Amino acid sequence: MKHVLVSLCLQGMFIHALAQCSASEFQLQGDYLLGGLFGIHHDSDPDFHDRPEGVDCASKPLISSSFRRFQVMRFAVDEINNSTNLLPNVSLGYEIFDQCSDTHNFPDIFYFISANGLVQPWGEPHKNLSKMMAVVGPYTSTKALIVAPLLTMNQIPMISYGAASSVFSRKQKFPYFLRTVQPNKDVIGLIIEILLHFNWHWVAFLYINDDYGNNGLELFMKKIKDTQICLAYIKGLNQYTNHSQILKQINAHRIGAIIVFAPEWTAEALIESAINQNVTNKVWIASDAWSLNKNLPKKKGIRNIGTVIGVSEKRVTIPGFSDFINFSRRRTYCENASQNIHCNQVCNCSSLSAKDVVAADPSFNFPVYSAVYAIAHALHNALQCGSGRCNDNITVFPHMLLAELKKSNFTLLNQSIRFDENGDPDFGSYSVVFWNHSGDAEEIGFYHFDQSAKLFINNSQMKWHTHGKVPTSVCSEECPVGFVKKYTGTHKCCFDCEICPSGSYITHNMTECMDCKDTEWSAAGSTSCNLREVEYIPFTDTGAILIMVGAWALVGFTLAVSVLFAINYNTPVVRSAGGPMCFLILVCLSLCSISVFFYFGEPTTSFCILRFSPFLLFYTVCLACFVVRSFQIVFIFKISAKFPKLHSWWIKYHGQWLVITVAFGIQALLLLIGYTCCPPDTFKETIWYPDKIILGCDLDLKATSSPVLLLLSLCFLCFVFSYMGKDLPKNYNEAKAITFCLLLLILTWIIFATTSVLYHGKYIPILNALAILSSLYSFLVWYFLPKCYIMIFQSYKNTQEYFQGLIQNYTKTISQ
């Protein structure tokens, strides 16, 4: 009963169609039939199926490019039937249907899978007696998704010339589906290559809101993840789309490149709206579905919208097709002179002349042509054709063609026709086209779909709307060299540029500023680091030479003074200056000068130790001697009379040498402990001078604080005792000389400390050495030289009588 109902429905539909038109173009009898599905008319009205009976596809706008593809299939079958090499002694026929709406699709499919007017949904496929060997089409992915399951159920192969959705590459779901058009993944890949070629990173993606467009959007978003491209705006297009609002939003986002991934009727509506809305200075990237459109490039105002670049299949001229169209159209008009229609499924084709068909958009013509030939070659192999005949004893069923189609490998118009394991074309290349000022799609580049896929574009052929300069489409301009991107939103294309600070660098493939090594430096905004200049005071430096000469001069002076004091050892001047203690002071001053020589040359740990330890140790002895000397003078004149026992004890136990020895021992112990726990080490100053490394010595405060504190304590005691003896007899009064030396000492180190805080250059060691020399010369010059002057030039003052006279005068003054 179900079989009968389906049969009656089918018969009713076809009787209605045959009553209106001739079967001259849509039907052809043959030994084996091919099905053809073409959207010759376009239904943009979603309520088309709700219209009353009798309203058919012919009432909708005719699509000249689809009609041309329909004619290509007819031509290919005609050419094969006239061939003596391909399918000799076998004729091909066809049943072609116009798929103008979803409701008009099912009668076509039911016809393909029916046998003797009956559809057997639960029948065994191998018992299908239908003569329909394979189906060419349909054009869109949405229609293919409807058709494919039904044909698969009946094991009828289908080769689509336009369904590009990647879902059809899944063979577990669509085992009988093949195609001669490149899948979306390849076309999207080519579009991305174009974007990257011209550095268009801020783009809009407008797509037809169906399976084809949604798949294209999904692939595009997936493929741009690892690129610099940002999808600034996306919008699905349909018959209700408000193009004006879309274009305003694109302008608001400052998008310069717009990808339109849609069929020609959808793209036409969008581009016409852009012209009417006076949209300017945009780059429009056309998918292969409308890049070769014949009407839009000649539209008035098309130049104002910007530049149109597209991708398209390689244009292949099919020999003999124009002659076929001219003959076919003339014949059709003659046969149907009394009719308004001339097709078996209602088609208002009379408005198209042969010239119109030949001049129509040639997109997807070769995929139709190669699809028909692929089926013919598969049938040729299945029938074991050869030597001018085919094997008449072989009965070929549709499912038998699939294996032969998968093995396709033949040459057609210099193209090698093959399919990969997914049923996708393993051949062909795409063109990159540009709509020139003449209204033509001019080829400016190409892209081969193979493992060595490479894009070539002849930039010199481009005529940009920006008058020669490649237009830009970015959210943020690329950062200048030496700047880092600081992202300001969710898009990686939107950012602010900040210069890399000094001491860091950035290269074109880095995302953040990298710090230079300690031994390197860079100015702000650098792309690399430079080695720092290592600086220290060499022994050959002029300042170093002068200071070392000064140190040797000090040693010479102390030696000369020592000789002079030795000659005049028993004189009052030498005895009042300290007697044997003077020689100890002079020796220690000479030993202190050793430190000066280690302030020059490249610092090492041993150099750092010898910079400080000789001076700290032996200068302690010098200060201890002056402390004792000051104390002795005050003690003799002011304390001994009041404390005679203390005076006798001091004399008996050589108190002065005991104090000096204790001071020396304590300082030596402090230095030993400090340098053992925290020895001084070399130091690299890298903060104050970014392009230099200043070599120096790093003193640990824990190691040096105690020895320095001891020095300060001795200096303080020396100053106190010297002040107490300020009114003693002139020749015995060493207080003024010692006080003056101490003031010079303090002033010297205050100046050095201030300079060290303000200046951090390589000459700090020279200043330090100079401070040490100044400290040594202060005692040599202001304590010892006046006494040398007396001994040499005023010998009358270096007598016992002269000193006794001074003491008597002091006694008289005190008694008064």
Side-chain angles (χ1 to χ4, degrees):
M1 184 67 183
K2 291 180 180 178
H3 295 175
V4 174
L5 288 175
V6 173
S7 175
L8 289 174
C9 289
L10 287 170
Q11 290 176 6
M13 290 179 183
F14 290 118
I15 291 172
H16 174 72
L18 291 171
Q20 299 182 59
C21 59
S22 168
S24 58
E25 288 192 308
F26 280 75
Q27 287 182 331
L28 180 68
Q29 298 299 318
D31 297 327
Y32 295 93
L33 291 182
L34 306 184
L37 298 173
F38 296 87
I40 299 175
H41 296 85
H42 173 56
D43 175 30
S44 61
D45 186 354
D47 298 323
F48 178 71
H49 61 277
D50 293 333
R51 290 196 294 270
E53 181 73 18
V55 179
D56 50 39
C57 288
S59 64
K60 305 309 295 177
L62 178 70
I63 304 173
S64 59
S65 58
S66 293
F67 185 74
R68 178 185 166 107
R69 290 190 280 270
F70 154 62
Q71 294 296 337
V72 168
M73 178 175 177
R74 292 184 60 243
F75 169 71
V77 172
D78 183 73
E79 195 174 49
I80 292 168
N81 286 339
N82 289 312
S83 172
T84 57
N85 297 321
L86 185 60
L87 291 175
N89 204 35
V90 173
S91 63
L92 292 180
Y94 51 74
E95 286 283 352
I96 301 175
F97 294 91
D98 179 11
Q99 285 194 308
C100 66
S101 72
D102 293 340
T103 55
H104 282 67
N105 291 344
F106 289 100
D108 317 341
I109 310 308
F110 290 151
Y111 180 83
F112 290 157
I113 62 178
S114 66
N116 299 321
L118 296 176
V119 177
Q120 304 178 38
W122 298 281
E124 297 182 26
H126 67 273
K127 294 182 179 180
N128 186 352
L129 301 179
S130 171
K131 284 188 175 183
M132 197 64 60
M133 290 291 101
V135 175
V136 176
Y139 175 57
T140 68
S141 296
T142 299
K143 289 182 171 62
L145 283 169
I146 297 172
V147 172
L150 295 173
L151 295 181
T152 297
M153 182 180 66
N154 288 270
Q155 297 183 344
I156 299 176
M158 60 182 295
I159 304 180
S160 176
Y161 54 86
S165 175
S166 295
V167 69
F168 296 113
S169 296
R170 302 172 187 170
K171 290 299 98 180
Q172 65 273 22
K173 292 186 66 177
F174 302 97
Y176 282 81
F177 181 92
L178 298 93
R179 54 184 158 197
T180 51
V181 64
Q182 297 295 335
N184 275 347
K185 66 179 181 63
D186 293 334
V187 179
I188 290 295
L190 173 53
I191 290 174
I192 292 174
E193 288 285 338
I194 293 173
L195 295 175
L196 295 174
H197 178 83
F198 291 111
N199 291 319
W200 294 327
H201 296 161
W202 189 239
V203 301
F205 194 94
L206 307 181
Y207 61 99
I208 179 68
N209 195 9
D210 64 6
D211 299 281
Y212 164 73
N214 291 327
N215 178 247
L217 174 63
E218 179 185 352
L219 289 170
F220 185 79
M221 295 178 69
K222 181 179 179 181
K223 285 179 176 288
I224 65 173
K225 281 185 178 180
D226 297 326
T227 70
Q228 294 300 313
I229 299 171
C230 295
L231 189 52
Y233 183 81
I234 57 174
K235 187 67 177 180
L237 306 176
N238 54 40
Q239 65 272 18
Y240 299 116
T241 299
N242 185 341
H243 297 117
S244 175
Q245 183 180 4
I246 291 176
L247 296 172
K248 287 179 180 178
Q249 291 173 342
I250 289 175
N251 274 330
H253 284 81
R254 298 180 293 110
I255 301 170
I258 305 169
I259 302 165
V260 183
F261 198 78
E264 55 185 328
W265 53 85
T266 304
E268 283 180 354
L270 174 67
I271 298 300
E272 287 174 359
S273 177
I275 295 173
N276 296 333
Q277 295 293 324
N278 197 28
V279 174
T280 59
N281 300 326
K282 303 294 182 186
V283 175
W284 303 82
I285 301 173
S287 66
D288 52 348
W290 66 282
S291 60
L292 299 182
N293 188 285
K294 294 293 184 177
N295 299 321
L296 285 177
K298 296 178 173 62
K299 283 274 186 183
K300 183 179 179 182
I302 191 67
R303 300 287 159 262
N304 297 333
I305 68 171
T307 303
V308 180
I309 295 178
V311 298
S312 72
E313 61 179 25
K314 198 79 172 177
R315 278 178 282 193
V316 179
T317 301
I318 302 176
F321 177 67
S322 298
D323 295 337
F324 172 81
I325 292 298
N326 288 323
F327 174 77
S328 176
R329 301 304 291 159
R330 284 198 302 270
R331 186 185 65 177
T332 302
Y333 290 150
C334 293
E335 291 179 357
N336 298 280
S338 62
Q339 302 181 40
N340 291 327
I341 54 176
H342 59 278
C343 320
N344 76 329
Q345 185 175 3
V346 183
C347 176
N348 182 17
C349 308
S350 59
S351 60
L352 282 180
S353 65
K355 183 178 179 181
D356 294 332
V357 177
V358 172
D361 180 356
S363 298
F364 306 101
N365 284 195
F366 186 72
V368 174
Y369 189 68
S370 57
V372 175
Y373 265 88
I375 296 171
H377 276 273
L379 187 58
H380 181 93
N381 295 332
L383 290 172
Q384 301 177 358
C385 298
S387 302
R389 293 192 62 82
C390 297
N391 192 339
D392 296 334
N393 297 322
I394 297 177
T395 301
V396 179
F397 293 100
H399 66 274
M400 299 169 60
L401 289 186
L402 181 64
E404 298 298 335
L405 283 169
K406 290 181 178 179
K407 296 186 290 185
S408 296
N409 189 359
F410 61 94
T411 301
L412 182 65
L413 301 183
N414 298 320
Q415 295 277 347
S416 181
I417 308 301
R418 298 185 304 273
F419 297 98
D420 64 17
E421 66 275 8
N422 297 319
D424 295 330
D426 193 18
F427 61 90
S429 61
Y430 260 37
S431 298
V432 180
V433 297
F434 154 68
W435 288 8
N436 60 28
H437 293 170
S438 302
D440 299 319
E442 178 184 348
E443 184 175 326
I444 59 169
F446 57 83
Y447 185 86
H448 293 289
F449 295 105
D450 54 30
Q451 293 182 351
S452 60
K454 188 176 181 181
L455 173 67
F456 169 79
I457 294 179
N458 188 350
N459 295 327
S460 62
Q461 287 183 256
M462 291 297 303
K463 301 295 186 294
W464 301 105
H465 62 272
T466 48
H467 308 293
K469 184 180 178 181
V470 178
T472 60
S473 183
V474 294
C475 178
S476 301
E477 291 292 339
E478 277 300 312
C479 292
V481 175
F483 284 72
V484 66
K485 297 176 181 177
K486 295 296 183 182
Y487 296 99
T488 57
T490 57
H491 290 290
K492 58 189 173 186
C493 297
C494 301
F495 48 82
D496 295 327
C497 295
E498 293 183 5
I499 192 169
C500 285
S502 57
S504 65
Y505 70 99
I506 188 170
T507 60
H508 68 281
N509 58 349
M510 294 169 61
T511 58
E512 59 183 13
C513 302
M514 299 296 294
D515 292 333
C516 296
K517 298 177 181 177
D518 290 340
T519 57
E520 298 174 334
W521 76 281
S522 67
S526 295
T527 57
S528 62
C529 295
N530 304 312
L531 285 175
R532 294 190 185 210
E533 182 182 356
V534 179
E535 290 190 347
Y536 57 89
I537 305 298
F539 287 102
T540 55
D541 185 83
T542 303
I545 293 173
L546 292 176
I547 289 177
M548 287 188 290
V549 169
W552 283 113
L554 177 75
V555 174
F557 286 142
T558 56
L559 182 60
V561 171
S562 298
V563 171
L564 183 61
F565 270 52
I567 295 172
N568 297 277
Y569 182 74
N570 292 319
T571 62
V573 171
V574 174
R575 294 175 64 185
S576 66
M581 197 178 295
C582 294
F583 296 101
L584 178 60
I585 294 173
L586 290 170
V587 170
C588 288
L589 289 177
S590 298
L591 292 175
C592 284
S593 66
I594 295 174
S595 294
V596 171
F597 296 93
F598 294 98
Y599 279 91
F600 313 116
E602 184 174 353
T604 61
T605 301
S606 57
F607 269 44
C608 290
I609 292 175
L610 292 173
R611 278 187 183 186
F612 305 108
S613 55
F615 175 74
L616 290 174
L617 182 60
F618 296 114
Y619 207 72
T620 299
V621 176
C622 292
L623 286 178
C625 290
F626 284 112
V627 168
V628 169
R629 183 63 191 144
S630 302
F631 174 74
Q632 280 182 320
I633 296 172
V634 173
F635 186 77
I636 291 171
F637 284 95
K638 293 189 175 184
I639 302 177
S640 59
K642 298 178 182 180
F643 302 98
K645 290 184 179 181
L646 179 61
H647 178 261
S648 61
W649 181 89
W650 180 269
I651 297 298
K652 179 179 179 181
Y653 293 102
H654 303 287
Q656 69 273 25
W657 299 111
L658 184 62
V659 171
I660 293 170
T661 303
V662 170
F664 175 79
I666 293 174
Q667 186 69 296
L669 183 63
L670 291 175
L671 288 172
L672 181 62
I673 295 172
Y675 286 167
T676 301
C677 298
C678 305
D681 200 1
T682 57
F683 172 70
K684 294 180 179 180
E685 171 59 64
T686 58
I687 298 175
W688 292 95
Y689 298 93
D691 59 337
K692 298 176 182 178
I693 297 177
I694 309 297
L695 299 184
C697 290
D698 185 22
L699 281 179
D700 192 283
L701 291 177
K702 294 179 181 179
T704 57
S705 57
S706 296
V708 171
L709 185 61
L710 179 59
L711 274 180
L712 293 175
S713 300
L714 291 174
C715 187
F716 175 75
L717 289 174
C718 187
F719 188 83
V720 169
F721 291 139
S722 297
Y723 181 79
M724 290 173 65
K726 67 181 184 301
D727 56 348
L728 295 177
K730 184 175 181 181
N731 276 25
Y732 282 95
N733 189 358
E734 310 294 340
K736 292 181 180 179
I738 295 174
T739 303
F740 187 71
C741 291
L742 290 175
L743 289 175
L744 284 178
L745 176 66
I746 294 170
L747 181 62
T748 296
W749 288 101
I750 288 176
I751 293 174
F752 171 73
T754 305
T755 306
S756 299
V757 171
L758 300 177
Y759 172 71
H760 299 83
K762 71 174 184 176
Y763 292 104
I764 286 292
I766 285 185
L767 297 176
N768 201 338
L770 191 60
I772 290 176
L773 270 187
S774 178
S775 301
L776 301 179
Y777 270 105
S778 64
F779 283 111
L780 180 64
V781 173
W782 301 106
Y783 186 79
F784 288 101
L785 285 189
K787 294 170 177 52
C788 293
Y789 181 80
I790 292 174
M791 286 185 285
I792 297 173
F793 300 105
Q794 295 179 344
S795 58
Y796 66 92
K797 293 183 179 181
N798 190 18
T799 62
Q800 190 71 26
E801 294 79 9
Y802 184 79
F803 272 78
Q804 287 294 334
L806 292 176
I807 293 172
Q808 290 174 3
N809 292 335
Y810 173 77
T811 304
K812 291 178 182 180
T813 304
I814 292 299
S815 63
Q816 291 176 359

